[in-house]
Amino acid sequence: EPEVTQTPSHQVTQMGQEVILRCVPISNHLYFYWYRQILGQKVEFLVSFYNNEISEKSEIFDDQFSVERPDGSNFTLKIRSTKLEDSAMYFCASSEVGGTEAFFGQGTRLTVV
Amino acid sequence: QKEVEQDPGPLSVPEGAIVSLNCTYSNSAFQYFMWYRQYSRKGPELLMYTYSSGNKEDGRFTAQVDKSSKYISLFIRDSQPSDSATYLCAMSAGSGGSNYKLTFGKGTLLTVNP
């Protein structure tokens, strides 16, 4: 069964460092998303991406965040200068049609120290 | 009023019980409704997907949407210990439009006791 895969599963980084979280969406899907979940809190939308551009972003997704689809299979989230409050689970998701069934990866647990 | 409200529980039931999980929402633009199951420190797993109002059944799971009341439900029949997880409702307004994001409830922690 096709699935969304994310690497790494756990990343520890020092405050102020840049991190890149990687995702391989399901191959025939056209819409890609990043969400995050701070421990004990709701899953929150960060950004959606379609046709090689951002289609929507939340207020959380400020200038320190960026997304890229560098080739036909990968989808990345870059955090330029990490802060302690960026510690969270980051989930990549993809869907065939925008706004409908979205399939999530297993997440990357980011710990900023 | 929060956009999506979900009772966080915890909810504890004996094996074989019927479980009812619910969410309410305030945004009348929502028309796509999903239920996800999430195990601890794992990604949300899509269980059920419904468009607009009505019922949808898949095995032991039934999803109901009442758009007039802005209320959605997930029923689990003959619950099993393996159903123990956090259940998240999620909804979106968009398809072909600009609002693709899913808005989640906080999740209900369910424990099914053998």
Side-chain angles (χ1 to χ4, degrees):
Chain A
E1 186 174 321
E3 59 179 14
V4 177
T5 56
Q6 290 186 244
T7 54
S9 56
H10 188 198
Q11 171 106 37
V12 181
T13 189
Q14 294 219 324
M15 193 168 54
Q17 295 296 303
E18 174 182 289
V19 294
I20 297 177
L21 310 183
R22 302 180 192 279
C23 169
V24 179
I26 295 173
S27 64
N28 64 331
H29 285 187
L30 300 177
Y31 296 83
F32 314 117
Y33 314 86
W34 284 101
Y35 290 80
R36 79 171 185 191
Q37 186 176 32
I38 295 170
L39 189 63
Q41 296 189 23
K42 283 188 182 188
V43 176
E44 301 174 286
F45 170 79
L46 292 178
V47 65
S48 58
F49 192 86
Y50 169 70
N51 200 25
N52 284 319
E53 61 182 22
I54 289 173
S55 49
E56 188 173 4
K57 58 184 180 179
S58 72
E59 58 275 10
I60 302 168
F61 194 88
D62 61 22
D63 290 345
Q64 70 160 342
F65 290 93
S66 61
V67 290
E68 194 178 33
R69 187 150 163 85
D71 54 40
S73 59
N74 291 285
F75 181 50
T76 62
L77 174 69
K78 184 192 289 186
I79 309 175
R80 260 179 275 282
S81 177
T82 50
K83 306 184 189 103
L84 294 176
E85 55 264 37
D86 294 328
S87 295
M89 285 288 284
Y90 286 81
F91 295 110
C92 174
S94 68
S95 65
E96 205 169 349
V97 180
T100 60
E101 300 166 276
F103 294 87
F104 284 72
Q106 291 300 298
T108 293
R109 181 154 60 103
L110 176 66
T111 303
V112 182
V113 296
Chain B
Q1 184 183 7
K2 291 180 185 169
E3 210 167 11
V4 178
E5 302 226 36
Q6 182 176 10
D7 185 342
L11 182 61
S12 182
V13 301
E15 184 174 353
I18 296 174
V19 176
S20 171
L21 304 166
N22 312 291
C23 288
T24 58
Y25 63 95
S26 58
N27 187 347
S28 56
F30 288 147
Q31 50 182 338
Y32 296 90
F33 304 92
M34 281 141 270
W35 285 95
Y36 288 85
R37 178 171 62 196
Q38 186 178 30
Y39 296 108
S40 182
R41 295 184 177 262
K42 298 292 186 185
E45 173 195 3
L46 182 64
L47 279 178
M48 300 287 286
Y49 159 69
T50 313
Y51 168 67
S52 195
S53 282
N55 291 2
K56 186 172 184 179
E57 191 173 317
D58 184 1
R60 296 184 295 110
F61 298 89
T62 300
Q64 286 186 352
V65 174
D66 181 350
K67 289 188 71 180
S68 62
S69 302
K70 296 190 178 69
Y71 187 87
I72 70 170
S73 301
L74 177 71
F75 297 96
I76 307 173
R77 288 184 298 282
D78 187 25
S79 55
Q80 303 295 308
S82 56
D83 295 328
S84 298
T86 297
Y87 288 80
L88 311 173
C89 63
M91 42 200 84
S92 78
S95 175
S98 61
N99 191 351
Y100 300 133
K101 68 179 182 185
L102 290 179
T103 301
F104 281 83
K106 199 167 182 186
T108 300
L109 177 61
L110 171 68
T111 302
V112 181
N113 301 300

